[in-house]
Amino acid sequence: MTAIPSFTGDANPYGGGDPYADYRTADFPFTQYANLADRQLGAGVVAANDEFFAQRENLLVPERAEFDPEHFGHKGKIMDGWETRRRRGASAAHPWPTAEDHDWALVRLGAPGVIRGIVVDTAHFRGNYPQAVSVEGASVPGSPSPEELLSDDVKWTTLVPRTPVGGHAANGFAVSAEQRFTHLRINQHPDGGIARLRVYGEVVPDPEWLAVLGTFDVVALENGGQVEDASNLFYSPATNTIQPGRSRKMDDGWETRRRRDQGNDWIRYRLVAQSLIRAIEIDTAYLKGNSAGWASVSVKDGEDGEWTEVLPRTRLQPDTAHRFVLPEPAVGTHARIDIFPDGGISRLRLFGSLSEQGASGLTARHQELGG
């Protein structure tokens, strides 16, 4: 596996112009996974010990951090991130913080799952970023309060050991813990600011909850569906098509570049587990002059299964939710939507239920991961 680039030290003071011109980043091997700390999934920063200069909630803002050199408030420079006050020592003889001093924030993941990688982004924190960061994970059922999460009853697992980071940089860390986590504790040593937190991984749903639901969207991200591959990601990620809720703007869907050949575009998905699909919804909300012209849906059962078309090539209308009831349930573990010739869709919903095999497999995995 290729080593993940690491950044340390200050960035240069802002000298005007594009503040991202000297931003340090890299291609990380885990960003194809969903962001489990996405606000759209229900993630939140539930507590922090200090947020004197900038609020903890900024950590999960979906857009990249912005910088306004003229933006000051009563407490000082206003930053687009989470920033704590400067720590001090115990006395004039020892004015420096101790090696153990640190600030922390508690993050509730939007969907519990296995974490494959974490990005701690210090964009625009050039000389006021933490010297090091560490991240811990826990699996706590229900909706625990911050006090319950901080109690001695909760077991925290180190996901990222205390590691030096750089200012104005995307600091990426691969995670190897094969466990299901619901909450994170991000620590900055000894103090400073972090712009954004991204937590990439695979959703692992609660099988009891899905069993009670009966019929549900078996490809939805929040229920454990995943995008495996797509033909084109020019304008937007294919994962948008399985996000919760309806699309609220054009870039909250999947749109491809314009084709100049005789081909077509597609997305391939892995369902939560083997499922019986009974109905399909293809939504082109907010895609008005650029929606796909036609679409078809196919399903296969198992990695080596054959693709079977369950919705033949069908005309789509712009900015419209299209609903189809299948004549009989389609059994499968994977699905694929083909659009013709190009364009986009905002959402794909595959409504059904788990098969007996799918339910038992999901329950076994949930238990294996500590759920």
Side-chain angles (χ1 to χ4, degrees):
M1 181 176 176
T2 305
I4 294 177
S6 60
F7 307 104
T8 55
D10 293 351
N12 292 326
Y14 175 63
D18 179 7
Y20 274 101
D22 60 342
Y23 176 67
R24 295 177 287 178
T25 187
D27 292 328
F28 300 117
F30 43 73
T31 54
Q32 77 272 21
Y33 294 102
N35 177 19
L36 303 183
D38 192 335
R39 284 285 303 170
Q40 198 170 353
L41 282 174
V45 187
V46 298
N49 72 308
D50 186 290
E51 47 185 330
F52 185 85
F53 286 113
Q55 296 176 332
R56 65 183 191 259
E57 287 87 357
N58 289 332
L59 285 171
L60 305 188
V61 171
E63 296 80 19
R64 71 176 188 172
E66 298 299 326
F67 179 70
D68 181 352
E70 306 298 328
H71 198 189
F72 286 83
H74 295 295
K75 294 181 179 180
K77 182 73 185 75
I78 296 177
M79 297 293 289
D80 185 7
W82 168 50
E83 185 180 7
T84 66
R85 71 192 80 199
R86 298 186 187 221
R87 282 185 171 269
R88 297 295 185 236
S91 66
H94 297 281
W96 309 279
T98 69
E100 291 74 32
D101 285 343
H102 67 278
D103 293 317
W104 53 263
L106 296 176
V107 176
R108 178 190 65 242
L109 297 179
V114 178
I115 297 169
R116 301 302 183 193
I118 295 172
V119 174
V120 178
D121 189 347
T122 58
H124 315 303
F125 290 96
R126 295 170 176 269
N128 51 347
Y129 60 93
Q131 182 183 27
V133 300
S134 61
V135 183
E136 301 160 278
S139 182
V140 184
S143 304
S145 67
E147 292 74 22
E148 290 170 322
L149 290 170
L150 293 170
S151 73
D152 294 336
D153 296 332
V154 175
K155 177 186 175 183
W156 291 92
T157 299
T158 298
L159 305 181
V160 178
R162 182 170 175 169
T163 306
V165 294
H168 196 43
N171 300 278
F173 307 93
V175 176
S176 58
E178 199 69 20
Q179 299 177 49
R180 179 182 185 267
F181 295 103
T182 61
H183 293 77
L184 297 186
R185 181 163 62 190
I186 179 168
N187 307 300
Q188 48 178 339
H189 309 265
D191 54 36
I194 297 169
R196 298 288 188 267
L197 176 70
R198 303 293 187 242
V199 183
Y200 297 99
E202 301 174 61
V203 176
V204 180
D206 182 348
E208 289 188 7
W209 176 252
L210 296 184
V212 169
L213 291 180
T215 296
F216 60 93
D217 183 0
V218 298
V219 76
L221 182 61
E222 61 189 318
N223 293 333
Q226 291 184 44
V227 169
E228 288 194 327
D229 200 3
S231 61
N232 188 277
L233 303 173
F234 190 83
Y235 286 114
S236 46
T239 304
N240 283 352
T241 62
I242 55 174
Q243 288 277 9
R246 290 201 74 194
S247 173
R248 291 174 291 178
K249 51 195 177 85
M250 193 178 75
D251 65 349
D252 188 19
W254 172 62
E255 183 186 357
T256 71
R257 72 181 76 196
R258 299 187 188 215
R259 277 190 171 268
R260 303 305 188 198
D261 58 19
Q262 299 300 304
N264 74 284
D265 289 313
W266 51 267
I267 305 175
R268 188 178 74 241
Y269 305 89
R270 188 173 78 191
L271 310 183
V272 54
Q274 188 188 64
S275 304
L276 288 80
I277 302 168
R278 297 182 176 87
I280 296 172
E281 180 178 295
I282 302 171
D283 196 350
T284 58
Y286 291 95
L287 296 165
K288 298 181 179 181
N290 50 353
S291 66
W294 292 262
S296 65
V297 175
S298 301
V299 170
K300 73 171 183 176
D301 190 24
E303 293 290 345
D304 300 323
E306 296 290 331
W307 289 104
T308 300
E309 189 174 73
V310 296
L311 179 69
R313 193 178 303 189
T314 302
R315 188 74 169 95
L316 299 182
Q317 299 300 323
D319 196 25
T320 301
H322 310 76
R323 292 171 177 165
F324 310 94
V325 176
L326 300 185
E328 58 183 31
V331 179
T333 56
H334 296 72
R336 170 177 167 138
I337 184 167
D338 284 84
I339 63 171
F340 303 89
D342 55 25
I345 62 170
S346 60
R347 296 289 188 270
L348 174 69
R349 305 299 188 203
L350 303 177
F351 296 105
S353 58
L354 297 180
S355 67
E356 185 176 337
Q357 176 183 323
S360 62
L362 183 62
T363 298
R365 183 165 188 254
H366 187 263
Q367 294 173 346
E368 181 183 306
L369 295 172

